[in-house]
Amino acid sequence: MTNQLYFVFDSHCPWSYASLPLVNEIAKAYPDMELHLWHAAHYAGKDSPSKNLIDAVKSDSLVKFSKDYEANLGRKKNSQIAANVMSWLTNKQPQHALNVLNSIMQQHFVENSDMDTPSNFEDIMTELKLLPPAKAFKDKLSNDAQQILEDIGEIQELIRMRSFPIMLLAMGDNAVLLDHSHYLKHPAKIVEAVKLELNK
């Protein structure tokens, strides 16, 4: 029986950014667990997180936002290319997906890169010696990204929840929703919650 973790996120979503340390802790504690990092492609150049949202994330978690990022909150966000890159990684290079996601979020929230043009991804891809296809760098969703959105829809139907981030632990035919909100200030403690579920 393979244990799997499904993380539904948007690379430009502050709550997803706050939840990523939990995924990192689970991956570190359970290196053989299969990770499914599914990009929800919420930000499509039409809106941006509000200052109130950023303040709430800072209050409830340990993540940091750069002053430059906060100064540019009014600038509309577009995560479509990141969704394409992550969907390609999920399908073709899953062993690199978590490292790339950490890098994308670091670049976006700390180094204030919009991460919405192909050039924004060059350093990450070069460092990891990755060569995504040209379709991954288009500003419309690839077929792979669209398929992941359909898969996300199925999970949302299953758990009767439309919002994200979502952390779902699957153990064979059983699945449990991990309430990430309890662990945002103590990411390592989610490992205890996972252990309890796996030992049931």
Side-chain angles (χ1 to χ4, degrees), residues 106-178:
Q106 169 75 17
Q107 296 269 353
H108 183 61
F109 292 106
V110 179
E111 297 172 31
N112 192 37
S113 169
D114 288 333
M115 300 307 287
D116 60 1
T117 65
S119 62
N120 295 147
F121 294 83
E122 285 175 2
D123 288 347
I124 297 171
M125 297 301 125
T126 300
E127 183 180 339
L128 293 172
K129 298 182 174 62
L130 295 171
L131 292 169
K135 66 181 180 180
F137 296 112
K138 295 198 168 155
D139 59 1
K140 69 174 192 174
L141 292 180
S142 65
N143 289 338
D144 289 344
Q146 294 279 8
Q147 180 58 55
I148 284 177
L149 289 184
E150 290 181 23
D151 293 339
I152 289 171
E154 290 181 14
I155 280 187
Q156 289 175 325
E157 287 290 324
L158 176 72
I159 63 175
R160 295 188 175 93
M161 188 171 81
R162 304 300 301 174
S163 61
F164 65 90
I166 296 167
M167 295 180 69
L168 188 74
L169 180 65
M171 303 152 287
D173 294 331
N174 298 318
V176 62
L177 188 64
L178 299 173

Side-chain angles (χ1 to χ4, degrees), residues 85-114:
V85 168
M86 289 305 302
S87 66
W88 175 76
L89 286 164
T90 294
N91 290 329
K92 302 294 186 185
Q93 301 278 342
Q95 70 275 21
H96 294 297
L98 186 57
N99 283 339
V100 171
L101 181 55
N102 275 282
S103 294
I104 289 172
M105 288 193 172
Q106 169 75 17
Q107 296 269 353
H108 183 61
F109 292 106
V110 179
E111 297 172 31
N112 192 37
S113 169
D114 288 333

Side-chain angles (χ1 to χ4, degrees), residues 13-25:
C13 161
W15 286 119
S16 297
Y17 173 49
S19 301
L20 184 60
L22 282 62
V23 178
N24 291 332
E25 290 290 345

